[in-house]
Amino acid sequence: MKKTIGVAALAMLAFNSVASGNSIVLPESESQRLIAGNLSMTAESFFKAYMSTDLEQRRLAEMYVLGVIDSSEGDSWCGFEIASPDAIQEQVYTGLKKALDESPKERASAVIKSRLKELLPCKVEQ
């Protein structure tokens, strides 16, 4: 079951591809569904796409963010019930901006999860 979920999660990232320079590169053909480079996108390259003036790049970046926050909620952080989507998006931006100065080569997904965990940690039951 875990393997099936993992494959499904990877398939969700299928339309994204390797971040190159200032953008997320689209697959070369419709038959190219998964590009492993998406799994290790740096904070630096991701932030460029996230802040791009190209609407398609921003949409792909926001879909990436949605995938990270959805897949990590409850494990890395808790908060949809206490934080609005706008507040979460603001914290993602803040975390990425901070990472540009401190660790631009860190994985974008790790930066996003770390920021949310820092601000919206799950309460530990005793």
Side-chain angles (χ1 to χ4, degrees), residues 37-56:
N38 288 333
L39 303 177
S40 60
M41 190 179 312
T42 67
E44 180 179 48
S45 63
F46 177 75
F47 190 76
K48 289 176 184 175
Y50 194 59
M51 299 307 297
S52 175
T53 57
D54 180 337
L55 181 60
E56 184 174 37

Side-chain angles (χ1 to χ4, degrees), residues 14-18 25-35:
F15 53 86
N16 289 338
S17 63
V18 178
V25 181
L26 298 173
E28 293 177 15
S29 73
E30 291 297 319
S31 65
Q32 188 177 11
R33 307 229 33 221
L34 179 65
I35 299 172

Side-chain angles (χ1 to χ4, degrees), residues 23-123:
S23 64
I24 297 172
V25 181
L26 298 173
E28 293 177 15
S29 73
E30 291 297 319
S31 65
Q32 188 177 11
R33 307 229 33 221
L34 179 65
I35 299 172
N38 288 333
L39 303 177
S40 60
M41 190 179 312
T42 67
E44 180 179 48
S45 63
F46 177 75
F47 190 76
K48 289 176 184 175
Y50 194 59
M51 299 307 297
S52 175
T53 57
D54 180 337
L55 181 60
E56 184 174 37
Q57 287 295 303
R58 283 198 326 270
R59 284 185 178 156
L60 289 171
E62 289 190 10
M63 290 174 148
Y64 179 91
V65 169
L66 180 60
V68 172
I69 64 174
D70 186 49
S71 67
S72 62
E73 185 200 15
D75 293 327
S76 297
W77 68 281
C78 295
F80 277 123
E81 62 279 343
I82 60 171
S84 71
D86 289 339
I88 291 171
Q89 184 174 4
E90 182 178 334
Q91 292 309 317
V92 167
Y93 170 84
T94 302
L96 287 165
K97 192 77 168 149
K98 182 178 177 183
L100 291 178
D101 294 331
E102 297 175 2
S103 53
K105 301 302 181 196
E106 186 175 356
R107 288 178 66 164
S109 59
V111 169
I112 294 166
K113 288 192 298 186
S114 176
R115 179 66 178 179
L116 294 175
K117 183 177 184 177
E118 176 185 329
L119 297 169
L120 303 166
C122 291
K123 293 179 182 175

